[in-house]
Amino acid sequence: MTSCNVKSKGSPDGTDDAARKVYVAPGEHDEFYAFLSGGFNGQVSVYGMPSGRHLKMIPVFSQHAENGYGYSEESKALLNTTYGNIPWDDLHHPKLSRTDGMADGRFLFVNGNNTPRIARIDLTTFETVETLEIPNSAGNHCSPYPTNNTEYVVAGTRFSVPISDEGGIEDIELEKLNEYYRGSISFIKVDDKSGEMDLEFQILVPGFDYDIANGGKGPSEDWIFFTAYNSEQATTLKEVNASLHDKDFVAAINWKKAAEYVKQGKYREIPAEYFHNKMDKKTHVASSEVKKKVKVISPEECPDIMYLIPTPKSPHGVDVDPSGEFICVSGKLASMVPVHSFSNMLKAIENKDHVDVFESIPILKYESVLAAEVKDIGLGPLHTEFDGKGNAYSSMFVSSEIVKWRLKDFEILDRIPVYYSVGHLMIPGGDTHKPDGKYLVAMNKITKDRYLPTGPELCHSAQLIDISGDKMKMLLDFPTIGEPHYAQAIKADIVAPKSKKIYRLDENEHPHATLKEADTRVERDGNIVRVYMTAIRSHLAPDNIEGIHLGDTVYFHVTNLEQDWDVPHGFAVKGARNAEILIMPGETKTLEWIPTKTGVTPFYCTDFCSALHQEMQGYARVSPEGANVPIKYWLGDPKK
Ligand SMILES: [Cu+2]
């Protein structure tokens, strides 16, 4: 026997203590919901915190064969854009809706980075209910940032592009691109009650790369701050050419003032085509509307809405502390965190303390706005969040660590290594005016040897850190689905009590719903065959169908008649070229099936629903085109 004293690398000191802190006993619930974006999988994953239990994947911008999202006839429209039905996106930033500056647990807004879109997830159902395409944008990375009462969700463009006043993006010689290109900041109005989004206006801004934003709080709550890199306005070999200036900018935008200008009519309307897709609450069917115009304003015509604050160097994250006074910027290439003072900024604006003007936008003097530079903080600072106890925590991509520092005197207090190359970090409420400073999640870009190897492709890694004491303590590694780009977390007791258990059948207004078994039927209209089917433990009705011919398009409208929590039924047809559908209790969903072979074709319930789940199946007979086989269907005795 040998005793083992080897401590594996990165394991927490006092492993028992760490285990106790993340242990949630079987049957018990976690204290927080954490919503982690999936990056390039286009989805959001829901975890319990501190256990790291994976609770759900919410499909948003990518089709999800597991439940038919993006494949079912009801959900297809949510992926509509002016480029067509786009079944994938790159989802970076989840942001919770806010009331009085605090996450209210009603909605989660998320961005599609690639084909510019914003989606809204309803947190009573954990389902995507709305998507809005953003015109005049390319690379919707700087998105979606809510104001303190979710008056607006704000989105900036990462790639600047030649936005045409006649609508769309111009076809310009790339060598002359930087003479024509512009950025856009979109202000999406959010309806107080329903949460519905509407692109109210855009500010056309200089052609920089707008990277990250965050809204002010308290004294600064009328403002939103954006990092703008590539002040060089390079268009090629950006890794060199966009890194030449010692300082780029923080763009400070007074959103209240901008909205007032729009109210006063100081806007132009330009053509802009974009899709707005909504899931109807009563029918559970999504539909699309194509919008044709957008209101734009410019800093030139609307003075005092935008100021540029020089900021070192190629800044990435911009985070406002809970008091609303400090604007902490991660100087990605400067290896320091410049902290701007909001009150200094107001003074500099009042005193016209400008060093220059860029396309009519005043550039304030760096030294006049700055509160402090947090130096020697580490290499590659990217983001900062706050614990509500006077401390800030910054992520270092290059030196792979989280660094704790004090807002009072900008002193560095502690550092902890993370594995490996952390991007965003997240403290529950750490971007609001009252953070819950108990845990911090580091979202790492590189995994390497953290888990058992799974071939060349590894899952990504998040790490949970205890920040309740003076020293940070590593508690837990948990693998994530897709890239955990950014996250939000909220106390479970704000969200859980409102979680919907079933959809009520008596409220089902789906146009093809079948609310009782007696009404099930099969109808032909030309070469469209509609099957009005019901599912209840443990049969599908009808379960025998004849009279389908090659050349037909069949729609299975399946209504789940169950009214119990956690009894979904699934539905799949042999050879169907889309996916299964998963139908929640009381809901109707539609699977399209275009048969390609004659013969008897089985269909069945895919979600293990009862002891007789394996019996929950049926047959569709497919006959040749033109065959004399009439529509006929039954459950039980065919003669009845
Ligand atoms: Cu079933």
Side-chain angles (χ1 to χ4, degrees):
M1 293 259 290
T2 52
S3 72
C4 179
N5 268 328
V6 182
K7 213 181 94 185
S8 66
K9 89 188 129 50
S11 76
D13 292 330
T15 302
D16 287 355
D17 187 41
R20 213 176 313 119
K21 283 189 167 142
V22 301
Y23 183 67
V24 176
E28 297 293 314
H29 291 174
D30 278 284
E31 188 182 351
F32 293 93
Y33 282 103
F35 301 94
L36 274 68
S37 68
F40 45 73
N41 78 3
Q43 322 285 39
V44 170
S45 284
V46 187
Y47 295 82
M49 217 170 86
S51 73
R53 290 173 179 170
H54 182 236
L55 305 176
K56 187 180 169 70
M57 165 113 104
I58 306 172
V60 184
F61 296 120
S62 298
Q63 285 179 313
H64 193 47
E66 184 182 312
N67 63 6
Y69 178 87
Y71 294 97
S72 72
E73 296 308 299
E74 287 76 12
S75 59
K76 273 180 183 170
L78 288 170
L79 302 179
N80 283 343
T81 75
T82 51
Y83 299 87
N85 190 275
I86 305 282
W88 170 84
D89 216 307
D90 185 20
L91 189 160
H92 276 200
H93 306 123
K95 280 279 187 181
L96 289 159
S97 56
R98 293 175 182 204
T99 303
D100 295 329
M102 296 298 290
D104 57 21
R106 299 175 68 208
F107 306 112
L108 187 72
F109 296 94
V110 294
N111 68 324
N113 208 352
N114 181 51
T115 304
R117 298 179 258 184
I118 290 179
R120 180 169 58 93
I121 294 165
D122 183 332
L123 292 182
T124 63
T125 58
F126 288 60
E127 286 176 359
T128 303
V129 291
E130 188 179 8
T131 55
L132 177 69
E133 190 178 359
I134 311 292
N136 298 328
S137 175
N140 177 42
H141 184 262
C142 188
S143 166
Y145 298 97
T147 53
N148 275 315
N149 283 294
T150 323
E151 295 93 339
Y152 292 98
V153 162
V154 182
T157 175
R158 178 155 71 105
F159 296 90
S160 281
V161 282
I163 297 166
S164 165
D165 283 340
E166 279 78 57
I169 310 291
E170 287 185 72
D171 164 17
I172 296 264
E173 266 177 84
L174 289 178
E175 283 186 35
K176 293 185 183 160
L177 180 57
N178 60 1
E179 294 169 31
Y180 294 94
Y181 71 9
R182 286 185 282 189
S184 66
I185 310 280
S186 302
F187 288 77
I188 294 128
K189 189 91 194 136
V190 178
D191 186 86
D192 217 14
K193 291 204 173 66
S194 67
E196 257 178 45
M197 303 186 283
D198 180 33
L199 175 54
E200 192 178 274
F201 66 98
Q202 296 185 314
I203 308 180
L204 296 181
V205 291
F208 305 137
D209 290 17
Y210 296 85
D211 206 6
I212 297 276
N214 262 301
K217 313 172 170 88
S220 56
E221 74 172 4
D222 295 353
W223 294 76
I224 182 158
F225 305 94
F226 298 77
T227 48
Y229 67 106
N230 192 21
S231 60
E232 296 84 352
Q233 301 196 298
T235 57
T236 182
L237 195 62
K238 281 195 176 183
E239 68 166 334
V240 175
N241 296 329
S243 308
L244 301 175
H245 293 168
D246 273 348
K247 293 189 180 71
D248 296 276
F249 297 114
V250 162
I253 290 182
N254 187 327
W255 63 264
K256 266 228 174 113
K257 199 162 258 181
E260 274 163 28
Y261 277 120
V262 173
K263 258 198 206 93
Q264 291 160 12
K266 291 210 168 146
Y267 59 81
R268 287 180 295 130
E269 233 171 0
I270 65 170
E273 214 176 49
Y274 59 101
F275 268 72
H276 187 192
N277 312 310
K278 278 184 286 190
M279 182 62 85
D280 185 285
K281 260 197 155 156
K282 291 179 176 159
T283 62
H284 290 204
V285 180
S287 61
S288 299
E289 186 188 351
V290 185
K291 304 276 188 130
K292 298 281 188 188
K293 277 180 182 165
V294 65
K295 293 173 180 147
V296 296
I297 63 173
S298 75
E300 196 169 7
E301 291 151 2
C302 302
D304 303 326
I305 58 169
M306 182 169 178
Y307 295 88
L308 294 171
I309 308 167
T311 301
K313 174 183 184 172
S314 296
H316 189 63
V318 53
D319 301 282
V320 182
D321 88 303
S323 76
E325 164 64 5
F326 294 122
I327 304 145
C328 308
V329 196
S330 292
K332 187 172 70 191
L333 302 183
S335 297
M336 63 130 137
V337 170
V339 180
H340 295 304
S341 148
F342 178 70
S343 49
N344 286 356
M345 183 191 94
L346 290 186
K347 269 182 241 151
I349 291 170
E350 202 185 311
N351 300 336
K352 296 207 173 358
D353 204 353
H354 307 162
V355 289
D356 206 348
V357 169
F358 192 98
E359 294 178 8
S360 88
I361 303 163
I363 301 177
L364 303 175
K365 193 173 172 194
Y366 176 63
E367 292 76 10
S368 302
V369 180
L370 190 74
E373 290 175 342
V374 187
K375 288 197 171 127
D376 301 321
I377 192 163
L379 300 177
L382 290 186
H383 301 279
T384 300
E385 291 214 349
F386 309 90
D387 66 3
K389 295 177 276 188
N391 304 307
Y393 299 76
S394 300
S395 58
M396 304 295 140
F397 177 81
V398 178
S399 54
S400 244
E401 58 188 335
I402 304 291
V403 179
K404 176 181 178 180
W405 52 280
R406 194 156 55 198
L407 287 157
K408 185 175 70 179
D409 51 11
F410 311 104
E411 282 289 305
I412 290 169
L413 301 176
D414 190 24
R415 40 182 88 233
I416 188 168
V418 286
Y419 302 90
Y420 302 93
S421 301
V422 59
H424 275 275
L425 47 71
M426 181 275 290
I427 294 169
D431 55 348
T432 68
H433 76 80
K434 216 173 152 205
D436 204 322
K438 193 170 177 183
Y439 302 110
L440 181 153
V441 177
M443 284 157 271
N444 306 321
K445 304 296 186 194
I446 294 170
T447 307
K448 296 284 187 198
D449 56 356
R450 295 304 290 179
Y451 307 119
L452 286 173
T454 52
E457 189 185 358
L458 302 169
C459 67
H460 281 235
S461 164
Q463 292 187 293
L464 184 75
I465 296 168
D466 177 2
I467 57 165
S468 60
D470 288 343
K471 293 279 167 198
M472 292 180 277
K473 278 188 202 141
M474 184 61 72
L475 297 178
L476 182 74
D477 274 22
F478 61 104
T480 64
I481 297 182
E483 181 210 356
H485 190 92
Y486 181 54
Q488 294 269 271
I490 185 167
K491 274 269 172 71
D493 58 20
I494 301 175
V495 175
K498 295 181 203 151
S499 195
K500 222 179 180 60
K501 291 190 163 71
I502 59 159
Y503 295 106
R504 284 178 51 168
L505 262 182
D506 59 6
E507 291 176 356
N508 181 333
E509 292 185 24
H510 190 292
H512 300 295
T514 312
L515 300 183
K516 51 184 197 293
E517 209 167 279
D519 294 339
T520 57
R521 63 200 184 276
V522 180
E523 289 175 357
R524 172 181 287 285
D525 178 9
N527 62 353
I528 304 287
V529 176
R530 294 188 186 276
V531 181
Y532 294 85
M533 183 179 270
T534 59
I536 194 160
R537 284 163 289 180
S538 297
H539 57 262
L540 296 157
D543 66 358
N544 277 250
I545 302 166
E546 288 191 346
I548 294 167
H549 298 141
L550 282 187
D552 286 343
T553 296
V554 182
Y555 292 105
F556 289 96
H557 303 293
V558 187
T559 302
N560 181 348
L561 297 179
E562 309 279 356
Q563 290 288 269
D564 278 348
W565 193 21
D566 197 20
V567 194
H569 290 291
F571 182 77
V573 184
K574 181 185 170 189
R577 286 184 291 183
N578 35 26
E580 69 157 342
I581 45 175
L582 206 56
I583 313 125
M584 296 303 124
E587 197 183 28
T588 303
K589 274 192 181 158
T590 303
L591 188 76
E592 183 193 70
W593 176 45
I594 303 169
T596 52
K597 291 183 184 180
T598 57
V600 172
T601 306
F603 52 80
Y604 70 104
C605 170
T606 53
D607 192 314
F608 209 108
C609 54
S610 71
L612 294 169
H613 165 73
Q614 288 299 81
E615 283 71 19
M616 198 163 171
Q617 47 165 270
Y619 297 103
R621 176 180 166 196
V622 181
S623 303
E625 204 168 353
N628 186 21
V629 183
I631 291 280
K632 201 176 160 197
Y633 54 90
W634 63 91
L635 169 77
D637 186 350
K639 288 167 212 89
K640 275 187 193 162

